[in-house]
Amino acid sequence: MRTDFRTCPFCEATCGLEVVTSGDEVVSVRGDAQDVFSHGYICPKATGLKHLHEDPDRLRTPLVRRGGELVEATWAEAFEEVDRRLRPIIGQHGRDAVAVYLGNPNVHNLSATLYNTVWLRALGSRNLYSASTVDQMPKQVSAGLMFGTMLSIPIPDVDRCDHLLMLGANPLVSNGSLMTAPDMRGRLRALRERGGRIVVVDPVRTRTAQVADEHHFIRPGTDALLLFAIVHVLLAEDLTEPGPLARHCNGLDELGPLAEPFTPEAVAPACGIDAMTIRRMARELAAAGRAAVYARIGSCTQEFGTLTNWLVDVINVLTGNLDRPGGAMFPLAAAGQRNAQGTGGKGRGVRFGRWHSRVRGLPEVFGELPAACLAEEIDTPAEGRVRALVTVAGNPALSTPDAGRLTRAFGELDFMLCLDVYLNETSRHADVVLPAPDPLERSHFDVAFNQLAVRNVANYSPPVFDRQAGMPDEWQTMLRLAAIVTGQGPNADLAAIDEFTAGALIRMELSVPGSPLAGRDPDELLAALEPRRGPERLLDLLIRSGPYGDHFGARPDGLTLAVVEASPHGVDLGPLQPRLPEVLRTPSGRIELTPAPLVADVPRLRAAIGRGIDGSLVLIGRRQLRSNNSWMHNLAPLVKGRDQCTMLINPADAERLRLVDGDRASVTSSAGSVQVPVEVTDTIMAGVVSIPHGWGHDADGARLNVAAAHPGVNSNLLADSTLLDPLSGNAVLNGIPVQVTPAVAETPVGAVASAG
Ligand SMILES: Nc1nc2c(c(=O)[nH]1)N[C@H]1C(S)=C(S)[C@@H](COP(=O)(O)OP(=O)(O)OC[C@H]3O[C@@H](n4cnc5c(=O)[nH]c(N)nc54)[C@H](O)[C@@H]3O)O[C@H]1N2
Ligand SMILES: Nc1nc2c(c(=O)[nH]1)N[C@H]1C(S)=C(S)[C@@H](COP(=O)(O)OP(=O)(O)OC[C@H]3O[C@@H](n4cnc5c(=O)[nH]c(N)nc54)[C@H](O)[C@@H]3O)O[C@H]1N2
Ligand code: SF4
Ligand SMILES: [Mo]
């Protein structure tokens, strides 16, 4: 029996786990009571580590399509096939003919966070897509414009906050997002116990709403109107108190005229929240000692996503709560945080639209194009068409809009490569599938989520198990791809490429103005990282040159990977600290409260003021405690019991549509149609229905035996890929107009008649 401590890689909460193993068997997975951040908290998904390790459907060998069938192949054969198929496409049609889609688990994977960029740079395609544009891109755009980098996202300092206003987030189910905070239930309870108040704004009375002091139903997609009305009240009633923030801000005086038309009375009919309540919300925010506004996926995947997320931080500034304890603060992570590099206080800021998508002419954002236009880039003929697709830890067939068209478009590709641990709705279309070690067979460090956490911590997890014979680690697969796309072939010397990668990262660190390593000899630094290789070498470099680092001996008490490794329960780097103005990377060196692209989008919102609620239905999504997007439905303990993929509908709507609990409804949008069992509940507001995403596991050719037994439906067959937040290119996945009717009796549940 052996006990290992490691960080759970499944969601953003980064809980510490105690994993007991015997040989190759996982005996138990429990919360690590000594973890410096999570103190023993876990959710039901944690034991998924055991079931994922044991899942007979999880891929352990590459698959290569031969004579139409995906068959097992050796790693050498698989890489040869990738080389044979991909190189001619690049040669004939250029690099942009290869599109890449990066899925969510990449951010939870150390190999991928450090090595995706290596092979993506080597490929050099402008057709890069990711789950970011079906998720948080609006927040990244607003944060980038206001503070200067895409991860300069203010995080609610929930442990010291007295008043928390939450929109479009259900952390009691999701365990928090863009707010890494294990045990949100405990943290929210503590907030209330110290006399604080929690206000939730959501079209559903969620579990989070149930533990709040106050919950307000809101018509989907109208959060920006509500928030602008709050800004209006703060300004009109002279309730703003930016205090010392004022001298760090540009644009304070421009907010008044912008907010002018957004009176509570004007926006109330569209939001479905009365004007008196909006005024009270604003006054209470202003009166609270330490308050934070926090908005998550419901606020992003909507028509006005970027404006909404901008207004969140405008209010945090106007109430004086940005960058102060108990307000919304900037974390300072140990490794890889762009807004902690070099001198700081100023930077290059962000630029968008350096290139545009071929078909719709949509602008690039942080190097990516909207996932909502991937299908048309494949299936629209003419010069510049995407001919090959590489997916890395993504399942766009279930997670991106107009999934029906995308699935058909896969059939028009000349080559498709999936790096994935399952043969699922997406990878079943691949010509080559390359699996990855399971999470217990690899090391872990949350480069991304430490930058979004309510407390500064660092936690490294070594692998629990050896990788099975022949299985490369995922960073090695990525280097192999780098070699293939640069014409070095499938048998290139990976050690040399890795050596080059580490050297390049060192030179990049040295070139940052104000780098603590300035003037040092790159070869000496590379030698100091010996004998580490792969992600550990890069991670050690990032930690040692980072804000807590030992700066390669210059600060002998500083942090190194070795110090973190020696602390199996994590290193506590303390509560969040004020970081203004050092955190800023805007060209002006100030917070941009009214960036031009955002101001230019305000008229679009103004036009929405007058929208009434006309009795039509709109669709939103939701998350479920025992589910993780599309990919943990093959783990039996997480899917046992009642059908989770149901449509929530208010009793008034159900009665009007003659639907009874347990009936099946047919749901139709401009993109497609699905049939789904109905759950009648007054926890959802009238006029809104909710179907979770990530289901629809009834596809031929997938190898998901458990998931196929309770497939559910693919809600993204209903999402219209033409509906976007224009500034971020983010898909509108909440607030989709739908028609609902009782389903025709003979059609089996889950059957799909896709239009579009
Ligand atoms: N309608 C609607 N759609 C949504 C959302 C919504 O709220 N509503 N939410 C959106 C959000 S927030 C997100 S993040 C996306 C998620 O969208 P995706 O990232 O496209 O989908 P996932 O379900 O996370 O799929 C992850 C894939 O990675 C594979 N995988 C898991 N671990 C590894 C690994 O270590 N290596 C490799 N190579 N593969 C691995 C899994 O088998 C799976 O195929 O969905 C989005 N789609
Ligand atoms: N158990 C579990 N945990 C997860 C995931 C999972 O699939 N399962 N996925 C992970 C991922 S990838 C992410 S991005 C995070 C997301 O984390 P959260 O943002 O907390 O996600 P949800 O639980 O979907 O909560 C979103 C809420 O927004 C509401 N909403 C929908 N439309 C609107 C709107 O227009 N306005 C307002 N105000 N509210 C609206 C929905 O009713 C829902 O309650 O969760 C992560 N954690
Ligand atoms: S809350 Fe997230 S990180 Fe914590 S145990 Fe559950 S899935 Fe893992
Ligand atoms: Mo996400």
Side-chain angles (χ1 to χ4, degrees), residues 15 96 171 253 332 343 456 523 587 595 597:
C15 300
D96 295 339
D253 296 338
L332 184 63
T343 323
N456 294 317
D523 293 330

Side-chain angles (χ1 to χ4, degrees), residues 108 125 130 169 194 196 232-233 255 313 320 346 389 429 462 541 545 552 631-632 641 652 664 666 709 729:
H108 300 267
S125 169
S130 87
R194 58 178 182 267
H232 180 100
V233 176
L255 287 170
D313 289 323
K346 226 179 204 213
L389 174 66
H429 296 275
L541 169 66
S545 57
F552 289 85
W631 74 277
M632 289 175 75
R664 287 171 304 124
S666 174

Side-chain angles (χ1 to χ4, degrees), residues 132-167:
S132 291
T133 49
V134 283
D135 188 348
Q136 80 292 345
M137 198 54 109
K139 185 87 227 172
Q140 294 189 280
V141 169
S142 76
L145 290 168
M146 294 177 82
F147 310 115
T149 83
M150 65 175 178
L151 276 186
S152 297
I153 296 175
I155 307 301
D157 184 14
V158 63
D159 296 341
R160 291 179 288 185
C161 179
D162 297 326
H163 186 105
L164 183 59
L165 170 60
M166 281 194 266
L167 306 101

Side-chain angles (χ1 to χ4, degrees), residues 438-453:
D438 89 58
L440 292 173
E441 297 166 345
R442 62 185 198 226
S443 57
H444 187 71
F445 184 97
D446 273 292
V447 176
F449 296 110
N450 288 346
Q451 303 183 37
L452 302 164

Side-chain angles (χ1 to χ4, degrees), residues 362-435:
L362 294 171
E364 149 283 330
V365 173
F366 300 118
E368 296 187 27
L369 293 171
C373 58
L374 176 54
E376 71 205 25
E377 292 299 325
I378 300 171
D379 70 17
T380 310
E383 189 59 27
R385 181 170 87 77
V386 165
R387 314 254 168 181
L389 174 66
V390 183
T391 70
V392 184
N395 194 3
L398 293 193
S399 53
T400 65
D402 202 352
R405 177 171 177 184
L406 182 62
T407 301
R408 288 190 297 278
F410 291 154
E412 298 186 27
L413 291 164
D414 295 343
F415 180 64
M416 182 163 165
L417 165 65
C418 294
L419 274 59
D420 208 285
V421 296
Y422 282 112
L423 191 60
N424 61 17
E425 300 74 22
T426 297
S427 55
R428 72 193 168 105
H429 296 275
D431 298 292
V432 178
V433 185
L434 301 176

Side-chain angles (χ1 to χ4, degrees), residues 157-164 172 182-198 211 213 290:
D157 184 14
V158 63
D159 296 341
R160 291 179 288 185
C161 179
D162 297 326
H163 186 105
L164 183 59
L172 254 51
D183 190 13
M184 273 302 288
R185 183 180 286 278
R187 288 174 203 269
L188 293 182
R189 193 189 303 124
L191 193 163
R192 295 193 65 214
E193 278 169 7
R194 58 178 182 267
R197 242 181 122 62
I198 301 167
V211 304
D213 295 273
R290 302 174 297 181

